[in-house]
Amino acid sequence: EFQISVNTIERVINVGDEIFENILIRSTAEENKTINVVTKLDVLIDKSLVNIISINNSVEIPALDSRNVKIRIYGLKPGIYVGNIYFFGEKVDEENSISESGFTTDIASDVTISKADYVLPVRIIVKGIEDKLIDARVVLDKLAISPGDKLKFEINVFNLGKLDSYDVDFSYEVVDKDNNVIVEKDETVKLESVLSLQRELEIPSMTKRG
């Protein structure tokens, strides 16, 4: 029986930097039933956060008391790291653990994730040393369309460079199996921190199937 002081962790750091986050965990067990009882929590992280997040694998909290839990965030290399920290009110056996910088961090498996009592989402953006550096992800609205239809897609771009804002040139092309360009479009867009674009390309009606 416990409460955690935050519902998410989101940080932007530079590559090679190290910062620390403190979260408060409070025991909520009933007073007249918890004399000399200690709440013991097991803590695990997602594989996607390995070497980015370090947190000790266990926490002990006296009844009706609270503890600050330190989390180490390290900018190992540029990128966007999304995952969860899992808290369990019961013992969890994990074989995969990492010890570094005074932390012993356990890595969650697919089996243990569903049994977590509390899930803390984490999103860390590590910025590089270059002035201009981006992470771009493209999602198609459909995987199959007909000639003459519009190919719709979404582009999400994250600024991982040192500059606060700069122009980014985009070139969109649809090609056939022989690398012949069927349709293309270019544009320049100003990027600050995050950019989300909804775009579409009209596929010519005479385009062969394939």
Side-chain angles (χ1 to χ4, degrees):
E1 299 179 351
F2 60 95
Q3 292 179 342
I4 295 180
S5 61
V6 297
N7 53 23
T8 187
I9 294 177
E10 293 191 3
R11 290 291 181 267
V12 178
I13 65 173
N14 295 321
V15 64
D17 284 356
E18 178 185 60
I19 62 174
F20 293 92
E21 176 91 12
N22 284 304
I23 62 173
L24 185 70
I25 302 180
R26 184 171 67 90
S27 170
T28 58
E30 296 182 21
E31 184 176 8
N32 61 354
K33 295 181 180 180
T34 57
I35 298 176
N36 297 325
V37 172
V38 174
T39 298
K40 297 182 179 180
L41 304 179
D42 275 12
V43 186
L44 289 76
I45 68 169
D46 271 329
K47 296 177 182 178
S48 57
L49 300 176
V50 171
N51 298 322
I52 303 298
I53 291 289
S54 298
I55 181 172
N56 280 322
N57 56 6
S58 65
V59 181
E60 293 190 0
I61 310 172
L64 298 178
D65 203 345
S66 60
R67 288 288 183 269
N68 271 315
V69 176
K70 181 181 287 188
I71 300 174
R72 174 182 180 259
I73 303 173
Y74 179 64
L76 179 65
K77 59 182 180 179
I80 301 168
Y81 303 90
V82 179
N84 297 309
I85 301 175
Y86 302 95
F87 296 85
F88 299 82
E90 59 184 30
K91 179 64 177 176
V92 178
D93 294 324
E94 286 293 321
E95 297 180 0
N96 192 2
S97 64
I98 297 176
S99 296
E100 59 179 358
S101 302
F103 293 87
T104 301
T105 305
D106 282 354
I107 314 303
S109 66
D110 294 337
V111 176
T112 57
I113 286 175
S114 61
K115 301 177 183 178
D117 294 307
Y118 188 86
V119 179
L120 180 60
V122 176
R123 183 170 179 263
I124 307 297
I125 297 178
V126 181
K127 307 194 78 172
I129 60 174
E130 299 90 344
D131 287 341
K132 299 179 181 181
L133 180 66
I134 68 169
D135 179 279
R137 305 176 186 187
V138 181
V139 179
L140 296 177
D141 184 51
K142 295 180 180 179
L143 296 182
I145 60 173
S146 300
D149 285 352
K150 291 182 178 180
L151 173 64
K152 297 181 180 181
F153 54 97
E154 179 180 14
I155 305 174
N156 293 301
V157 186
F158 301 88
N159 181 9
L160 302 182
K162 292 173 63 177
L163 295 179
D164 292 333
S165 65
Y166 48 89
D167 290 338
V168 179
D169 297 325
F170 291 94
S171 179
Y172 316 122
E173 294 181 348
V174 177
V175 300
D176 62 17
K177 62 182 179 64
D178 297 320
N179 215 35
N180 298 311
V181 177
I182 297 172
V183 61
E184 62 182 334
K185 179 182 178 181
D186 299 320
E187 68 172 333
T188 300
V189 182
K190 184 177 182 179
L191 171 65
E192 293 181 347
S193 56
V194 180
L195 188 64
S196 182
L197 304 174
Q198 304 287 336
R199 295 292 184 262
E200 61 182 35
L201 295 173
E202 185 171 349
I203 306 300
S205 57
M206 299 301 292
T207 302
K208 296 181 180 179
R209 299 180 183 274

